[in-house]
Structures are given as C-alpha cells and as structure tokens.
Amino acid sequence: MVFTEASRAIAWKELIDKLRNRWVIIVGLTFMLFTLSIAYLGAAPAGLTGFRRIDTTVASLTSLVTFFIPLMSLTLGGGIIAEERERGTLEIFLASPVSALEFITGKFLGLLIALTIALVAGLGLAGGMLALKSGIETLWVFARFVFNSLVLSIIFLSISFFISIAFYERTKVIALSVFLWLFYTIIYDLGLIGVVLLTKGEIGMNLFSALLLLNPVDVYRLMNFISIGEFKIVVGLASVEFSGYINTPILLLIALLWTVIPLGGGYLLFKRRYYE
Amino acid sequence: MLTLEGITKYYKEIKAIEGVTFTVRQGEFLAIVGPNGSGKSTLMRIMLGIVKPTAGRVLFNGEPLNEVSWRELRRRIGYMPERVSFYDNLTGMETLRLFARVKRSTVDKTVERILPRKVLERKVGSYSKGMRQRINLIQALLASPDIVVMDEPTSGLDPMGIAEFYSILSEIRQERPLTVVLSSHILAEVEGRADRVAIMKDGNLKAIGSLRSLYRKLRLPLKVFITLKGKDPLIERLLSLEGATGLTYRNGYLIANVPPENKMKILSSLMEKKNRFEDISITEPGLEEVFFGLH
C-alpha cells in the first residue's frame, strides 16, 4: 500500500522537476568536479599531482562531502511542504483521495531517486576514471564511499522532511536547516573536542564513541574510515581511536535509525495535522 | 448531501467561523459570498477536510465523516483552490496526468474543450493567469466528481475570462449533474447563476437561500422607476400614500422604494393615472441589496 499509483505519480513529478530544473545535472557535475580535483590535486601541497592512493582520496573526499551533502539534502527536502503551499498545490493533494503515507512516500522516493542519480553519476563517473588510473581493485573501495555518501544524503533528506513538515514556512525551514547543517558539520564536533579537553581525555572511549553516533556526519565519517581500513578517526583536530563496538553493521543500523526516526516523525506530524 | 453542523473554527484566539450550519443539496449551485476575511475559504477547507474545525462536524449523506469516509468523499469531490501556479517545469498535460493518477483516474480528450492540445503540451511556466485557471478547473473536474468546490475561481481574471469560465461551467452542468459550491466576493458574478446564496460576515452565516427567498425574508423594497416629463406632486403623493419611501428624481425618472407586499396595490393605483407618465418599470432587489441589507 506504500508504492501506490498516487505515490508513484508524486515521485515521478518530483524527479521530473529536479531533472528539468537541472538540479541533478548541477549537483552531479559538482560532485564529479570535486572528486576529480581532489583525486588529481590532493597531493599538490607536497608538490605532487596526479591520481594517488584511493584511501587518501576517499579520506580527503569525506572531509569535503561531509559539508556538501548535508547542505544539499537539507535544501532539497526542505521545500517539500513550503513549495507546495506557495504553489497552492498542497491543498489539491489534501483534497484528493491520497493518504498521508502515499504523499510522503511519493515525495521521498522522487527526491531519493534524483539524489541517487546525481550522486552515482557524479561520483561514479569520477570513481570509474580513478579506477582506470589506480587499478580496478580501488573500484570496490570507491563504491563503498559512494554508498556511504548516499546513506548520508538519505539521512539528511529525512531530517529535511521532518523540518519541512514541522515548520512548513520557507524562512523558518531555511533558518533551521542552516543551523542544523552548522551544528552537525562543525558545532557538534567542536563540542566533542571541548568535552575531551575539559575532561583531559578521561571521557572514556565507549562514551565518546556513543556520542559520535549521535551525529550522522560522524556516523558517515566512521563508515568511510572503516571502509578504507583506517582505524583512527579524525574528529576536528583530535585524532583518537574509537571503541571496538563500532563496526559497519552497527553504523548501518544507526544510519537506518537516523533515517526512519525523522521521516517517521515527519509522516506522523503530517498525518496528525491534515488527516486526523 | 454534504452537511456542515455547528462548524466553529478558531486560529488560536482569532475567530474564523462561528456556529455555521447548512446542507449542500445534490445538483445545486451554491454560492458562498462575503467580503474578504469573512471565513469563506476556511469554510470550504473544512468542507474538504483540509482544515479541522474547532467544534462541529461534517456529515456526508447524513453520516459523520471519519478517516475512511473522508477518503471516499474526496474521490467524489473536486477542488479548485483560489491561487494555484502549478509546476512551471511540467506541461499542462503532465500536470493533469499527475493529478489524474493521484485521483486514480485518467485524462480524457474532453479536456481539450477547455484548453487546446497545443497549449496543454506547453510548459505551465509559459501560461497566462487565465490558462492556469483553466488547468485548475480541469484538475478539479478530473475523475468526474459529484461535487466541485471552487474558492474564488475567477479571482484575477478579466471580464472576458470570467464570462468564459461560467460558460464552461454551465456547459459541463448541462451535460451531467454536478453540485457546485463556489465562493466569491463579487456579487454580480453569482447573481442569476447560483441556485442558492450563503452570505457570510465575520465568520457567521448571516443567511442562506435563493435570492428571492432572501429578499422576501428581509422584506427588502422593490425599486419603481417612473418616466415623467417633469416633477409630478400627484404621483408623489399617490406613492407616499401606498407606503413608498425614498422618492427621488434622477435623469427623468421618479424613483421610489416600494414595500414588496404593496407592489400590486401601487401598480393598480399608478395604472389609473397612466396618462401622467410615459413608462414604468419595477426592479426586484439584487444580491447587492440583500448583502447590504444583512450587513
């Protein structure tokens, strides 16, 4: 009952809209440009150019993507209610026999496909070129990086849905999106560094690792560092080892929770506001 | 068919609607009129289940609506909101297909009567206000609804556009039974078109009924226009004796307000003096008089 004709129609509209307004092309090209630049010029400060090791490329790309993807996803999903309200079409949907679940599913699915195309095309093309230069075995590492990036974008798309439904006015949604972006990409980790400094490193690795899981950006970083076999993580300026219970299945579970909770919350809020 | 029972809506402390009760009858054209901010749009949104009332309930064929029956009702209702710009990147036809799929229906060729195929194949971004309103009308009529709810459908249209809109609506209603609930603040627009008029003011339903029944209920005077060559004190006296008020001369007419119950009496008295005037006409009160009679 989720992927009904109505939800597929809404998903189709979202996808067509993002393809025709060139959002997908612009984001895809930006990703490709970033990836190729970092892969080719990543070692330029050391006086070297050209494609280097895949792990260093992924590590450098991770730093960049942690800023870019959350912002992109938050802006993409932030307008789902505000835009429909401004166009006057939200009321048409609400007056139609479409359920809250169909509406939210359709919107999410459409934007998810648009995001996936942009990410996979942008990063994938660059990854393919990288694999040609550095060896085909690097393709698996890069594919995991693309997958992890997709997971990060899905998490922030879910968060953006919640914000959009909860606040529905464009200015409020933008303000909160910018705040959350800053919070998760910069403020949270600065706070963690502060905690480590204040406790003189006595915080305990288990608690520290648990705190990392509360930030989806750190979850993404951990996923990437695990995928390239790097057992040290860089949180801001601090380099620390992380707790043993953190592994890929746990991180995927946390990522799933980060997706389901905001999206589910948004759906319930939408249903309560308009359907009950 | 659709009954609103004691509908009250407050937005925090602000009253939007208070205790509105009426029934939309099958096949009728009901016009909801009132000034801006009188609660027309809120009332329509409550009727569609988009806005929840603070108190009161909506009944469909006598049954209170729940989540399931709301969905059933929405299959049978078309809604034309006041301001819709649609999606600039979609063509008119794509827009219609989107809403048709949402309503579990399809777009048939008859839509080309309202907008030509050539226009439908263009992106909505290039449409004029009138074309967007037509797309809005078509989407409201998709899936052959029994009721169509239209919130200020002619807002922003030029007189030609307004005339075309009502002509299309009239054609459709001639072809199949369609209940129309339409809001407007332009009284002349719905006069002569609506079967019944609901008059709203400050969130209250001041009156509902056919125009004739409303002005009878309000005992609004008829206007008599008598064409005279000059001032005629005898006619003036005759009219005053029969209860006419507000006697004035304008552009060669003697104009008087006549109580509706005295209409025949005044006419027969005037006919006895018909050699004293050239012509006579009587105008019944219009929606504007009814509207201002209530405000």
Side-chain angles (χ1 to χ4, degrees):
Chain A
M1 286 300 285
V2 175
F3 299 114
T4 60
E5 180 69 7
S7 61
R8 285 199 301 272
I10 295 167
W12 169 86
K13 180 248 132 193
E14 289 300 328
L15 179 61
I16 292 291
D17 196 38
K18 295 295 169 281
L19 286 172
R20 289 196 185 152
N21 72 10
R22 297 184 181 88
W23 183 93
V24 171
I25 294 170
I26 292 166
V27 171
L29 282 175
T30 309
F31 273 129
M32 195 167 72
L33 202 69
F34 276 169
T35 312
L36 291 176
S37 308
I38 284 177
Y40 193 76
L41 301 169
L48 301 166
T49 55
F51 294 109
R52 303 279 135 195
R53 287 172 52 192
I54 187 73
D55 52 355
T56 51
T57 304
V58 167
S60 305
L61 274 173
T62 301
S63 308
L64 194 73
V65 164
T66 49
F67 285 97
F68 190 58
I69 283 186
L71 188 63
M72 187 192 70
S73 300
L74 285 169
T75 52
L76 182 67
I80 57 150
I81 299 296
E83 280 172 15
E84 297 288 357
R85 266 166 61 105
E86 285 163 13
R87 288 182 181 132
T89 41
L90 181 64
E91 291 195 341
I92 299 178
F93 283 115
L94 295 174
S96 305
V98 63
S99 70
L101 189 63
E102 286 172 317
F103 183 78
I104 298 295
T105 311
K107 285 269 176 192
F108 194 78
L109 193 67
L111 294 182
L112 181 63
I113 296 169
L115 254 173
T116 308
I117 294 171
L119 265 172
V120 174
L123 292 177
L125 210 64
M129 289 165 77
L130 211 61
L132 284 176
K133 288 277 178 189
S134 324
I136 202 75
E137 66 282 359
T138 60
L139 204 57
W140 171 240
V141 177
F142 203 82
R144 283 186 72 178
F145 165 70
V146 175
F147 173 78
N148 294 343
S149 302
L150 196 59
V151 168
L152 180 68
S153 63
I154 294 170
I155 291 173
F156 275 91
L157 190 62
S158 297
I159 294 171
S160 75
F161 265 57
F162 181 79
I163 300 169
S164 183
I165 293 163
F167 296 94
Y168 59 83
E169 281 174 30
R170 193 183 280 270
T171 45
K172 282 184 190 168
V173 172
I174 291 172
L176 195 61
S177 298
V178 170
F179 170 76
L180 282 181
W181 176 67
L182 282 172
F183 179 79
Y184 285 128
T185 54
I186 298 170
I187 299 170
Y188 189 87
D189 287 348
L190 284 177
L192 272 188
I193 294 167
V195 171
V196 171
L197 289 175
L198 282 172
T199 57
K200 297 188 172 72
E202 301 288 315
I203 180 172
M205 200 38 62
N206 281 340
L207 178 61
F208 183 78
S209 300
L211 288 173
L212 285 176
L213 298 181
L214 294 178
N215 182 358
V217 170
D218 286 330
V219 171
Y220 169 71
R221 285 193 182 111
L222 290 168
M223 285 168 77
N224 274 338
F225 284 108
I226 285 176
S227 71
I228 56 173
E230 181 73 49
F231 291 101
K232 282 194 168 184
I233 56 156
V234 178
V235 182
L237 300 171
S239 177
V240 287
E241 289 195 4
F242 60 88
S243 188
Y245 68 78
I246 289 181
N247 52 43
T248 302
I250 289 289
L251 291 173
L252 283 174
L253 180 70
I254 298 294
L256 185 69
L257 289 175
W258 266 109
T259 307
V260 170
I261 293 169
L263 190 62
Y267 157 69
L268 291 174
L269 210 58
F270 186 75
K271 190 168 180 261
R272 206 180 67 182
R273 185 173 294 152
Y274 297 110
Y275 286 82
E276 286 172 1
Chain B
M1 189 177 202
L2 196 64
T3 303
L4 278 77
E5 208 174 75
I7 297 291
T8 296
K9 178 68 187 175
Y10 276 78
Y11 290 103
K12 288 179 184 164
E13 301 298 309
I14 301 160
K15 181 186 90 178
I17 291 174
E18 183 106 59
V20 171
T21 299
F22 68 83
T23 297
V24 179
R25 298 171 188 161
Q26 193 154 7
E28 75 168 335
F29 184 146
L30 174 69
I32 302 174
V33 298
N36 292 330
S38 59
K40 304 186 296 292
S41 297
T42 306
L43 195 63
M44 291 187 140
R45 288 183 183 122
I46 289 172
M47 212 181 272
L48 294 156
I50 298 172
V51 170
K52 283 175 276 182
T54 311
R57 57 188 191 158
V58 182
L59 296 100
F60 184 56
N61 291 335
E63 295 291 321
L65 288 160
N66 55 37
E67 201 181 333
V68 177
S69 50
W70 265 123
R71 280 190 82 179
E72 180 52 37
L73 174 64
R74 286 179 183 133
R75 283 180 215 280
R76 300 173 64 177
I77 287 194
Y79 177 46
M80 186 177 173
E82 183 184 355
R83 278 181 295 269
V84 191
S85 55
F86 292 106
Y87 311 102
D88 285 357
N89 288 320
L90 261 56
T91 66
M93 190 52 95
E94 285 170 340
T95 306
L96 293 176
R97 283 199 190 111
L98 164 69
F99 290 110
R101 287 175 72 188
V102 164
K103 294 178 185 184
R104 280 87 172 162
S105 181
T106 50
V107 183
D108 61 36
K109 274 198 169 291
T110 56
V111 299
E112 290 176 36
R113 276 168 44 200
I114 303 175
L115 262 183
R117 174 158 283 275
K118 221 171 139 183
V119 176
L120 284 170
E121 277 164 8
R122 268 169 42 199
K123 282 189 182 172
V124 173
S126 69
Y127 280 18
S128 66
K129 167 87 184 165
M131 287 171 183
R132 282 177 205 254
Q133 279 301 75
R134 282 175 180 232
I135 282 282
N136 198 1
L137 173 64
I138 301 171
Q139 72 73 23
L141 296 168
L142 287 169
S144 303
D146 298 328
I147 312 171
V148 66
V149 177
M150 300 167 157
D151 191 4
E152 308 257 2
T154 57
S155 159
L157 294 183
D158 58 27
M160 190 70 93
I162 294 172
E164 280 175 3
F165 169 80
Y166 282 107
S167 156
I168 293 167
L169 190 61
S170 164
E171 269 178 44
I172 294 163
R173 294 190 74 222
Q174 274 166 18
E175 285 166 18
R176 64 182 182 90
L178 179 69
T179 307
V180 175
V181 181
L182 178 148
S183 76
S184 180
H185 63 269
I186 304 164
L187 305 174
E189 209 181 286
V190 294
E191 196 168 3
R193 290 186 172 113
D195 300 315
R196 287 197 305 154
V197 182
I199 298 173
M200 298 284 298
K201 192 200 172 190
D202 299 331
N204 297 305
L205 179 67
K206 302 297 280 186
I208 183 165
S210 67
L211 204 52
R212 185 171 280 267
S213 74
L214 287 179
Y215 76 67
R216 274 190 189 147
K217 194 173 157 191
L218 291 167
R219 296 189 67 252
L220 291 173
L222 308 165
K223 260 196 165 48
V224 176
F225 294 80
I226 303 163
T227 315
L228 296 167
K229 288 185 180 114
K231 282 197 170 189
D232 190 331
L234 184 74
I235 296 284
E236 278 182 49
R237 202 163 45 249
L238 188 148
L239 287 166
S240 298
L241 279 170
E242 300 294 354
T245 55
L247 273 66
T248 47
Y249 285 92
R250 201 187 306 147
N251 301 328
Y253 293 111
L254 170 61
I255 306 166
N257 295 324
V258 174
E261 64 274 16
N262 291 1
K263 183 172 87 174
M264 295 312 289
K265 215 167 143 193
I266 285 178
L267 273 177
S268 58
S269 301
L270 283 170
M271 290 319 283
E272 285 169 15
K273 309 276 183 233
K274 63 181 178 191
N275 57 330
R276 300 183 71 92
F277 56 88
E278 291 172 4
D279 196 11
I280 185 167
S281 64
I282 298 177
T283 316
E284 291 189 330
L287 183 54
E288 199 168 303
E289 283 83 3
V290 172
F291 186 78
F292 288 109
L294 285 163
H295 284 68

